[in-house]
Amino acid sequence: LLAAVGRVVGDYAVDCAVYNALGYRLDVSRRAQRRVHSVVRVAAAEQLVGQHEIMRSRLAGHHRAESRRGAYVLHALRGGNVRNVNRHFQIGGKRYLALYPGSQDAAYAQYIIGLAYWKQIPSVTQDQRASAQTLEAMQAVIDNYPDSEYVEDAQTKMRFARDQLAGKEMQIGRYYLERKEFIAAVSRFRVVVEKYPMTNQIEEALARLVEAYYAMGLASEAQTAAAVLGHNYPDSQWYADSYKLLQTKGLEPRENSGSWISRAGKLIGV
């Protein structure tokens, strides 16, 4: 066991090679890239000490260090194993934070956890659990390490994750709208307007609210949604379409300050 730990501590090229092959090094500065060495190095050693059987399983059949490196990297690059590699960094980062929460690399370890989740975010047609996990992990970077060099990229990753979560709500909302299940559709579009007002889905969400409320005969709400849309995106095609829809019954955009849409609209662009 001690010999195995020594191999990991003394030679962690496997982890670094996987890390680089997956593109993690593109997300942070060159100086920060080198910090993965200490994080992965300690986490890997602790994992071997605490999980002897896992270590034996992983090293079985690999008698030479060179062979082990090649096999590990090869499997890491296979599409079906990328998730396992990302999970490796999630577990390693969490273990490192648990053991050394006050170290100079703690911010980087937390960032790596968020980055691993971010790299698992699928298209909006699929489950967006990884997007929610990305938000939580990257928010921890911002909250716990506000002066770290990873804050800016954490914010970028969070914007993408929010876009994905909002996109998923829109997909479900459109599904209900097409089936004339207007109440269910409105509930999904409302989530986007209230929870994700700064995403790239907000224009369509407001336009779909106009469409749904108009179909339900709730003219005031439809007019309010159109007014908020027009105020924030006057040149939007979504606004032009919403305006045209209201005109079919002689209506125009008019904001009702008592509507939830009006209150939520104040957060757009803030």
Side-chain angles (χ1 to χ4, degrees), residues 14-270:
V14 173
D15 302 281
C16 297
V18 173
Y19 179 93
N20 291 335
L22 289 176
Y24 285 88
R25 61 189 177 88
L26 300 178
D27 295 282
V28 294
S29 67
R30 182 176 299 277
R31 179 168 63 87
Q33 291 166 27
R34 293 195 292 270
R35 291 188 179 178
V36 73
H37 295 180
S38 62
V39 176
V40 173
R41 183 176 182 176
V42 172
E46 293 290 343
Q47 184 175 10
L48 286 178
V49 171
Q51 302 182 43
H52 188 197
E53 292 305 315
I54 293 178
M55 176 205 71
R56 293 174 60 186
S57 175
R58 287 181 177 176
L59 296 181
H62 301 286
H63 302 294
R64 294 185 305 160
E66 292 77 12
S67 176
R68 182 167 58 87
R69 289 195 201 97
Y72 201 112
V73 174
L74 177 62
H75 287 294
L77 292 174
R78 292 177 185 268
N81 293 314
V82 169
R83 179 170 304 207
N84 293 334
V85 175
N86 284 320
R87 181 166 175 76
H88 165 77
F89 284 106
Q90 292 163 15
I91 295 174
K94 290 177 181 178
R95 179 179 291 276
Y96 186 88
L97 287 174
L99 293 171
Y100 312 101
S103 77
Q104 65 176 357
D105 290 318
Y108 185 61
Q110 182 61 58
Y111 172 78
I112 284 296
I113 295 170
L115 194 60
Y117 284 129
W118 178 78
K119 286 181 175 291
Q120 296 179 68
I121 296 177
S123 69
V124 294
T125 61
Q126 301 178 48
D127 183 86
Q128 291 301 306
R129 187 177 310 164
S131 294
Q133 291 169 323
T134 297
L135 284 181
E136 182 179 0
M138 290 304 190
Q139 189 64 55
V141 173
I142 296 171
D143 293 341
N144 299 331
Y145 313 101
D147 298 323
S148 75
E149 62 189 288
Y150 313 108
V151 168
E152 183 177 354
D153 195 60
Q155 293 171 333
T156 299
K157 298 297 188 290
M158 289 179 69
R159 283 193 292 271
F160 178 78
R162 289 193 188 97
D163 283 342
Q164 292 296 101
L165 288 166
K168 185 63 178 180
E169 294 294 334
M170 290 302 301
Q171 181 203 19
I172 298 173
R174 287 191 295 267
Y175 171 87
Y176 287 130
L177 189 62
E178 290 172 359
R179 286 154 182 76
K180 302 186 184 305
E181 298 179 33
F182 300 119
I183 295 177
V186 165
S187 70
R188 295 293 180 165
F189 302 142
R190 181 168 182 166
V191 169
V192 176
V193 174
E194 291 186 321
K195 194 172 181 180
Y196 306 113
M198 299 297 292
T199 65
N200 57 15
Q201 304 291 330
I202 187 63
E203 293 179 50
E204 183 183 355
L206 288 167
R208 297 299 185 185
L209 284 170
V210 174
E211 185 179 348
Y213 279 130
Y214 180 87
M216 296 168 68
L218 300 176
S220 178
E221 293 293 79
Q223 289 174 287
T224 299
V228 171
L229 178 58
H231 175 75
N232 289 280
Y233 308 99
D235 299 323
S236 168
Q237 185 60 47
W238 289 111
Y239 175 62
D241 293 341
S242 297
Y243 188 91
K244 182 178 180 180
L245 178 62
L246 292 177
Q247 285 283 289
T248 60
K249 286 191 176 180
L251 301 174
E252 292 186 350
R254 181 182 301 121
E255 187 169 351
N256 174 7
S257 60
S259 169
W260 72 265
I261 305 172
S262 178
R263 293 191 298 273
K266 291 179 172 57
L267 297 177
I268 299 174
V270 176

